[in-house]
């Protein structure tokens, strides 16, 4: 009956909030009898016709607890430590009675060992009993009776209704058991609150407030007998039924977590849930209460126990059948009615995992190695209905993508660990890649003679690098992908499984199941040293290229071999070729994307149509944005240098479209030193470029137009030091272009007239170097000996390249050289005199048929 205090409160509040209290055994018996077909009154314990046989350790624990109870009953208690809750007078007069309660009793009757024991105390809180037990074991000689050295500290776990933890408990670790000390209690719920008030209760009340009858049996330590105060615990156990002791609707309304607990016990024990309880579980009010009242941590814990239990499929099947999916698997932080899971996928998904885990075949053996793999498979399978939820946009333009909805549900809905949320994110984002690779491999297996376009998905490096990208959880990702495909096409299940079986078999054949653990033969520092470069962000992807090479050569790949393969000047090999292509495609090209050269097509050919110039942006974008290869990513020039110096004729042709745009962009830069670096790279490129390639692409004129303006970078507009660097690089580039574009070698059968005609364009370019470069620059800078030295140093090879055709320049070259050599202060800068002497030597050697007329001028110099 309601208390006077409660009646007074209801009167004051004008019955605004209705309250219910089942505090007496009589009230509870009425509810029990209305829900059960047994006439047995709940106030009287029904002793099952079986006995529990305790183990030696359990007997010792029982004796210790009984001795402590006798010690407490026989001794005077300190004033305030007997109890903290209001203790009814009739209970205060009773002696201590201790009982093992709940799951331990059930497991003992089932013959299942249990180290988790709840001890219920009739008239004392668990904390107070624990203090007195510690006091008892503090008496000299007492611990030795039980083989103990003493007792550790007590830790009181406070009640926390916010997390559905309604009861204060005191855990104690003793004799290898996890013992929870707690008082018998009854619960008082109000309609407008989810938090019960706890009071001391009778054994009947304590039994009736529990979640299931099979969990409501007690073992009385004094009488060594089983007590079944619900009257149905043992019978339901025999019938393998999970039933609530009281009317199920109100039981679940009071504590909705019991919905999940009953599902968990049913799947763990292999029992059937009482139909009346299932009807209440399907009730929208109960599902709303479960969603609103119970913390997501508690829901996640119950789900974890289900999925780690012996029969997760049954648990998920009940959730599916009762329409609980959206109640459990939802993100409470997002109240968006437009985001709905495809619940139709759920049954196919968990059924697929059940089939995978139950089969004893290659697929099961590879994908489900241990309990952890099994748990993760069930976890991701439960989230498959969210796989097609739209990807949410970044919070700001260009920002990082938020996790997929499935990962949010795992994180916020069931409070999964960070590891699981990361796996779910990867599973959603990689499923298309995984599916594509698997089915492409299956197609190659079906048509082995069909030419392979692009990567060969049967190759060891392709499959191995895929496993490394997917990481150590790749097995779980594959399970998720299988589930999504089967859920989407249930009728194609057999062919889908056949494709994945072939994929897994191929991985096993190639010894790639643990490819994610394969140790690289080179680390970043070793690779940077081998390439003669500074370490930087380029190393991560480059190391993947080295790893792919290592996967292709599992028997011979070593650190020494890899280092020798990538050193500049070494014989061109497979690893070098792979690194060149990788750097050009994935490192260099993105850095030069905003500064493409207007005279070159994407295929590395000369533009033959009129192209409108790009809009001048002025100061709209900084150079850091438009030219990242010059800023913090200046490693691009060092990478290009390694690439160019590692090329051969074959790799030049293969990578021509990727090489030309960045090189021309560098030469077109406004900075003289940067232009010089571009010229040096182009010079090295021409050394291995087949003349036919320049002719086919028509880029000879493009290179000439790009480099010729460099000859005009002179003081005072350009600093002297920068001039010297640029001119020293530009002249050799143009000379190399002349040799590559117009080679002098020809078959012996070529007629002299044809040979002469072929050499005319070459001579024209070399003439331009003298007439438009050397002579005007000398006239402008004749008073600057350092620049003059550079000009004359480059004049000698140009004259040698012209040969006898150089006679046309004698009237300008000889007086120039004579003036330099005869200058009264010439000895002040000896490099200039030395360059002039070598240039004059080239004149004599190549123009000797006409030198008679210039003898005096030469001698004058």
């Amino acid at each position: 009956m309601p208390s006077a205090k409660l009646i007074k409160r209801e009167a004051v509040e004008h019955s605004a909030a209705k309250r219910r209290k089942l505090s007496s055994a009589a009230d509870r018996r009425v509810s029990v009898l209305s829900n059960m077909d047994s006439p047995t009154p709940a106030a009287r314990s029904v002793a099952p016709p079986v006995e529990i046989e305790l183990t030696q350790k359990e007997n010792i624990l029982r004796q210790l607890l009984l001795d402590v109870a006798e010690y407490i009953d026989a001794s005077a208690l300190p004033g305030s430590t007997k109890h903290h809750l209001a203790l009814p007078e009739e209970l205060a007069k009773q002696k201590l009675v201790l009982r093992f309660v709940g799951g331990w009793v059930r497991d003992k009757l089932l013959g299942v060992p249990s180290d988790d024991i709840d001890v219920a105390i009739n008239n004392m809180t668990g904390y107070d009993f624990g203090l007195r037990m510690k006091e008892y074991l503090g008496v000299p000689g007492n611990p030795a009776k039980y083989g103990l050295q003493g007792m550790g500290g007590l830790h009181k776990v406070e009640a926390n209704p916010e997390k559905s933890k309604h009861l204060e408990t005191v855990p104690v670790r003793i004799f290898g058991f996890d013992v929870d000390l707690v008082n018998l209690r009854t619960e008082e719920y109000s309609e407008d609150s989810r938090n019960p008030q706890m009071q001391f209760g009778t054994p009947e009340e304590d039994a009736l407030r529990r979640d299931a009858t099979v969990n409501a049996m007690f073992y009385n330590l004094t009488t060594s007998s089983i007590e079944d105060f619900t009257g149905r615990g043992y019978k339901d156990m025999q019938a393998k039924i999970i039933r609530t002791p009281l009317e199920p609707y109100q039981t679940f309304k009071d504590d909705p977590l019991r919905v999940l607990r009953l599902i968990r016990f049913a799947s763990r024990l292999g029992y059937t849930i009482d139909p009346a309880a299932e009807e209440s579980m399907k009730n929208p009010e109960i599902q709303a209460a479960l969603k609103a009242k119970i913390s997501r941590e508690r829901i996640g814990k119950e789900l974890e126990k289900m999925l780690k239990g012996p029969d997760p499929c049954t648990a998920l099947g009940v959730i599916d059948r009762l329409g609980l999916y959206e109640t459990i698997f939802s993100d409470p932080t997002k109240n968006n009615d437009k985001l709905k899971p495809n619940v139709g996928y759920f049954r196919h998904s968990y059924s697929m995992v059940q089939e995978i885990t139950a089969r004893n075949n290659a697929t099961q053996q590879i994908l489900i190695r241990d309990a952890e793999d099994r748990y993760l498979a069930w976890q991701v399978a439960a989230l498959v209905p969210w796989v097609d939820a739209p990807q949410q946009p970044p919070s700001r333009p260009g920002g990082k993508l938020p996790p997929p909805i499935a990962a949010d549900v795992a994180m916020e809905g069931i409070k999964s660990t960070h590891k699981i949320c990361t796996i779910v994110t990867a599973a959603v984002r990689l499923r298309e890649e995984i599916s594509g690779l698997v089915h492409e491999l299956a197609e190659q297996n079906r048509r082995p003679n069909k030419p392979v376009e692009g990567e060969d998905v049967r190759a060891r490096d392709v499959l191995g690098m895929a496993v490394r990208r997917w990481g150590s959880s790749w097995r779980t990702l594959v399970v998720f992908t299988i589930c999504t495909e089967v859920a989407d096409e249930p009728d194609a299940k057999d062919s889908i499984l056949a494709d994945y079986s072939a994929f897994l078999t191929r991985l096993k054949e190639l010894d790639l199941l643990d490819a994610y653990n394969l140790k690289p033969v080179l680390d970043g520092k070793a690779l940077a040293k081998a390439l003669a470069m500074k370490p930087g962000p380029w190393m991560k992807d480059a190391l993947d290229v080295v790893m792919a090479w290592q996967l292709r050569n599992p028997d011979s790949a070593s650190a020494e071999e890899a280092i020798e393969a990538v050193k500049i000047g070494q014989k061109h090999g497979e690893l070098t070729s792979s690194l060149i292509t990788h750097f050009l495609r994935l490192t260099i090209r993105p850095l030069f994307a905003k500064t493409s050269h207007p005279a070159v097509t994407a295929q590395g050919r000369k533009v033959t149509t009129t192209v409108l110039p790009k809009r001048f942006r002025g100061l709209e974008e900084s150079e850091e944005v438009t030219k990242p290869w010059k800023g913090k990513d200046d490693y691009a020039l060092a990478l290009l240098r390694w690439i160019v110096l590692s090329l051969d004729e074959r790799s030049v042709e293969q990578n021509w479209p990727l090489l030309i745009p960045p090189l021309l962009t560098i030469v077109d830069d406004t900075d003289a030193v940067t232009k010089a670096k571009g010229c040096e790279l182009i010079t090295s490129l021409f050394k291995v470029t087949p003349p036919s390639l320049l002719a086919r692409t028509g880029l000879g004129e493009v290179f000439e137009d790009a480099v010729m303006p460099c000859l005009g970078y002179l003081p005072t507009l350009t600093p002297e030091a920068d001039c010297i660097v640029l001119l020293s690089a530009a002249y050799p580039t143009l000379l190399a272009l002349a040799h590559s574009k117009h080679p002098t070698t020809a078959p012996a059968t070529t007629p002299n007239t044809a040979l002469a005609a072929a050499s005319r364009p070459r001579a024209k370019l070399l003439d331009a170097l003298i007439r438009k470069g050397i002579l005007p620059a000398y006239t402008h800078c004749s008073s600057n000996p350092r620049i003059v030295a550079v000009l004359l140093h480059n004049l000698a090879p140009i004259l040698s390249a012209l040969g006898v055709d150089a006679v046309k320049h004698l009237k300008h070259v000889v007086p120039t050289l004579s003036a330099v050599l005869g200058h009264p202060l010439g000895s002040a800068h000896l490099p200039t005199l030395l360059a002039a002497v070598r240039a004059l030597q080239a004149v004599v050697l190549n123009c000797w048929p006409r030198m008679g007329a210039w003898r005096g001028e030469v001698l004058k110099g």
Side-chain angles (χ1 to χ4, degrees):
M1 296 295 293
S3 67
K5 182 178 179 181
L6 180 57
I7 295 173
K8 182 179 180 181
R9 182 186 306 168
E10 291 175 343
V12 172
E13 296 178 351
H14 303 285
S15 301
K18 295 181 179 180
R19 302 177 61 86
R20 177 184 65 86
K21 181 179 180 183
L22 296 176
S23 58
S24 69
D27 289 333
R28 294 184 184 273
R29 281 198 299 274
V30 172
S31 179
V32 171
L33 293 174
S34 66
N35 188 42
M36 301 179 184
D37 56 7
S38 170
T40 306
R44 185 173 67 252
S45 169
V46 177
V50 292
E51 294 183 358
I52 288 179
E53 184 176 348
L54 301 184
T55 65
Q56 182 181 2
K57 288 197 302 181
E58 289 168 343
N59 262 317
I60 296 174
L61 174 63
R62 170 182 172 274
Q63 190 59 53
L64 168 63
L65 295 173
L66 290 175
D67 290 347
V68 172
E70 184 180 353
Y71 170 78
I72 295 172
D73 286 335
S75 60
L77 299 175
S80 62
T81 59
K82 172 72 175 176
H83 50 78
H84 297 156
L85 299 176
L87 183 64
E89 184 177 351
E90 60 272 18
L91 288 180
K93 296 177 181 179
Q94 295 179 4
K95 287 191 173 185
L96 276 171
V97 179
L98 306 178
R99 293 173 171 89
F100 291 164
V101 299
W104 180 88
V105 180
R106 178 199 66 224
D107 289 344
K108 290 294 286 187
L109 290 173
L110 292 172
V112 178
S114 177
D115 294 333
D116 192 356
I117 303 177
D118 290 348
V119 178
I121 309 159
N122 65 327
N123 63 0
M124 178 179 283
T125 66
Y127 186 64
D128 291 335
F129 185 87
L131 291 175
R132 298 307 302 275
M133 182 163 68
K134 188 171 184 178
E135 178 185 313
Y136 172 78
L137 291 175
V139 175
N142 280 351
K145 297 178 183 178
Y146 315 98
L148 291 173
Q149 299 298 320
M151 181 176 171
L154 294 176
H155 172 62
K156 179 166 63 173
V157 178
E158 301 286 353
N160 187 354
E162 294 297 322
K163 294 187 177 181
S164 299
K165 185 70 176 177
H166 305 308
L167 180 66
E168 172 188 295
T169 61
V170 177
V172 177
R173 181 72 177 172
I174 189 168
F175 301 124
F177 297 111
D178 292 315
V179 179
D180 270 1
L181 304 174
V182 65
N183 58 280
L184 292 171
R185 70 272 190 195
T186 184
E187 298 171 346
E188 178 184 318
Y189 288 89
S190 63
E191 294 291 341
D192 58 352
S193 174
R194 61 179 176 170
N195 302 333
Q197 295 179 359
M198 309 301 297
Q199 297 181 3
F200 276 100
T202 66
E204 296 88 349
E205 291 171 331
D206 191 273
L208 293 172
R209 64 151 195 93
R210 293 180 178 270
D211 47 21
T213 56
V214 296
N215 295 336
M217 292 180 285
F218 300 162
Y219 176 76
N220 190 310
L221 270 63
T222 303
T223 63
S224 297
S225 62
I226 301 172
E227 300 171 334
D228 184 1
F229 290 100
T230 69
R232 288 305 303 262
Y234 185 71
K235 291 181 180 179
D236 285 344
M237 183 176 289
Q238 287 183 311
K240 297 187 175 182
I241 292 176
I242 292 290
R243 187 197 314 270
T244 57
L246 299 176
E247 193 276 321
Y249 176 87
Q250 195 60 53
T251 298
F252 298 144
K253 196 70 181 292
D254 289 344
D255 185 359
L257 187 66
R258 289 166 176 163
V259 170
L260 299 185
R261 288 177 59 82
L262 259 63
I263 295 174
R264 173 164 65 86
F265 286 125
S267 65
R268 174 186 168 186
L269 301 173
Y271 287 7
T272 302
I273 299 176
D274 174 47
E278 284 200 354
E279 284 300 314
S280 296
M281 290 176 175
K282 290 189 286 188
N283 190 304
E285 293 181 10
I286 299 300
Q287 295 186 7
L290 175 60
K291 205 169 185 178
K293 283 187 174 185
I294 307 303
S295 73
R296 287 289 160 170
E297 287 85 358
R298 295 286 291 181
I299 290 176
K301 285 294 182 184
E302 286 298 324
L303 183 67
E304 180 182 353
K305 291 176 182 178
M306 292 181 204
L307 300 186
K308 288 184 175 179
D311 191 3
C313 187
T314 294
L316 296 180
V318 174
I319 290 172
D320 184 25
R321 188 177 73 251
L322 301 182
L324 289 165
Y325 185 85
E326 289 188 62
T327 302
I328 299 170
F329 298 98
S330 60
D331 180 0
T333 66
K334 291 183 175 65
N335 188 16
N336 190 343
D337 293 336
K338 294 181 180 179
L339 290 176
K340 292 288 185 180
N342 188 342
V343 181
Y345 280 1
F346 190 37
R347 178 174 59 84
H348 297 296
S349 178
Y350 65 74
S351 298
M352 188 69 261
V353 173
Q354 175 69 5
E355 185 171 340
I356 290 173
T357 55
R359 288 184 174 186
N360 186 21
N361 57 13
T363 300
Q364 185 271 337
Q365 293 169 4
I366 293 173
L367 293 180
I368 311 296
R369 300 167 299 173
D370 50 31
E372 179 69 8
D373 283 343
R374 178 177 179 272
Y375 168 63
L376 291 174
W378 287 111
Q379 182 75 261
V380 296
L383 296 167
V384 165
W386 287 103
V387 69
D388 290 329
Q391 172 65 58
Q392 300 300 297
S395 57
R396 55 182 177 81
K400 185 179 179 181
L401 276 176
I405 299 298
D408 284 339
V409 171
M411 183 184 304
E412 301 295 343
I414 54 178
K415 294 298 180 181
S416 297
T417 63
H418 176 72
K419 175 185 176 182
I420 290 176
C421 294
T422 302
I423 291 173
V424 173
T425 298
V428 173
R429 291 179 175 169
L430 291 172
R431 68 187 180 97
E432 291 186 0
E433 177 188 334
I434 294 171
S435 175
L437 182 63
V438 169
H439 295 305
E440 188 177 348
L441 175 64
E443 181 63 20
Q444 282 196 20
N445 289 338
R446 285 189 284 268
R447 303 178 65 185
N449 297 325
K450 181 182 177 181
V452 176
E453 298 180 3
E455 290 185 329
D456 181 3
V457 294
R458 287 183 54 83
R460 193 172 192 270
D461 60 321
V462 175
L463 293 174
M465 292 306 295
V467 171
R468 291 182 66 82
R469 279 195 307 276
W470 304 339
S472 59
S473 301
W474 71 268
R475 292 173 171 85
T476 304
L477 308 189
V478 170
V479 170
F480 180 84
T481 307
I482 293 174
C483 290
T484 59
E485 289 193 44
V486 172
D488 194 45
E489 296 184 85
D491 295 338
K493 182 185 73 172
D494 291 340
S495 64
I496 291 170
L497 288 177
D499 286 357
Y500 278 88
S501 177
F503 167 73
L504 295 171
T505 300
R506 182 63 176 168
L507 291 183
K508 188 175 182 179
E509 288 173 356
L510 297 175
D511 192 23
L512 292 174
L513 297 178
D514 297 318
Y516 57 88
N517 274 334
L518 185 60
K519 185 178 179 181
V521 295
L522 285 184
D523 59 18
K525 290 183 179 179
L527 180 60
K529 185 177 180 181
L531 300 182
M533 289 180 53
K534 293 181 180 179
W538 59 269
M539 295 190 305
K540 180 180 180 298
D541 291 337
L543 288 173
D544 286 343
V545 176
V546 177
M547 175 54 68
W549 170 79
Q550 184 177 339
L551 287 166
R552 288 192 297 272
N553 303 275
D555 299 325
S556 60
S558 65
E560 296 75 15
E561 190 176 348
I563 291 172
E564 286 302 315
V566 299
K567 280 184 177 178
I568 293 175
Q570 298 297 315
K571 183 179 179 181
H572 195 274
E574 177 193 355
L575 178 56
T576 304
S577 178
S578 299
L579 281 171
I580 288 172
T581 303
H582 162 77
F583 284 142
L584 288 172
R585 287 181 180 173
L586 302 180
T587 306
I588 301 299
R589 182 161 59 180
L591 295 176
F592 287 83
K594 291 190 176 183
T595 51
S596 57
H597 198 278
V600 182
T601 67
Q603 291 73 36
R605 294 178 176 273
K606 180 182 178 180
V607 173
T608 57
T609 57
T610 303
V611 179
L612 293 176
K614 292 184 179 180
R615 181 170 67 90
F616 178 67
R617 294 185 177 274
L619 300 177
E620 290 181 20
E621 292 185 351
S622 65
E623 195 171 74
E624 290 183 359
V625 176
T626 59
K627 298 179 180 180
W629 50 272
K630 286 185 68 177
K632 63 180 180 180
D633 296 322
D634 58 356
Y635 59 82
L637 297 181
L639 274 179
L640 275 170
R641 177 179 177 274
W642 177 84
I643 290 168
V644 171
L645 293 178
S646 301
L647 291 169
D648 58 13
E649 288 192 8
R650 180 171 172 272
S651 56
V652 166
E653 294 220 29
Q654 288 177 339
N655 297 288
W656 186 257
L658 300 171
L659 278 166
I660 303 309
L663 294 180
L664 289 174
T665 298
I666 296 170
V667 173
D668 276 353
D669 194 72
T670 55
D671 178 62
V673 175
T674 302
K675 293 173 80 72
K677 292 179 180 178
C679 290
E680 291 171 353
L681 293 173
I682 293 174
T683 302
S684 299
L685 176 66
F686 285 155
K687 293 178 180 178
V688 290
T689 300
S692 60
L693 182 58
L694 276 177
R696 290 199 311 271
T697 58
L699 290 183
E701 290 78 10
V702 175
F703 279 115
E704 185 177 340
D705 293 342
V707 180
M708 280 297 286
C710 296
L711 307 185
Y713 277 66
L714 301 170
T716 56
L717 291 178
T718 305
E720 177 187 313
D722 292 351
C723 286
I724 292 172
V725 172
L726 180 54
L727 294 176
S728 299
Y731 280 108
T733 300
L734 291 166
L735 186 59
L737 174 61
H739 288 310
S740 183
K741 185 180 176 185
H742 310 290
T744 56
T745 57
T749 57
T750 303
N752 290 336
T753 54
L755 186 59
S759 65
R760 279 196 289 270
R762 177 169 173 273
K764 183 178 178 181
L765 175 55
L766 296 173
D767 289 341
L769 294 183
I770 296 176
R771 290 173 178 166
K772 296 180 181 180
I774 300 289
L775 296 177
Y778 172 78
T779 302
H780 184 74
C781 302
S782 58
S783 61
N784 191 318
R786 291 181 178 81
I787 292 180
V788 171
V790 172
L791 295 173
L792 299 183
H793 175 76
N794 286 284
L795 175 60
I798 295 173
L799 293 172
S800 298
L802 277 169
V804 74
D805 284 339
V807 296
K808 68 185 77 169
H809 301 291
L810 287 177
K811 62 181 178 179
H812 300 294
V813 171
V814 173
T816 299
L817 296 176
S818 179
V820 173
L821 292 171
H823 196 285
L825 298 178
S827 59
H829 192 259
L830 294 178
T832 302
L833 293 179
L834 182 59
V837 169
R838 288 177 176 167
L840 187 57
Q841 184 182 30
V843 169
V844 173
L845 290 174
N846 292 284
C847 304
W848 60 268
R850 300 289 181 89
M851 285 306 296
W854 299 96
R855 183 180 302 172
E857 191 69 32
V858 172
L859 293 175
K860 176 183 175 183

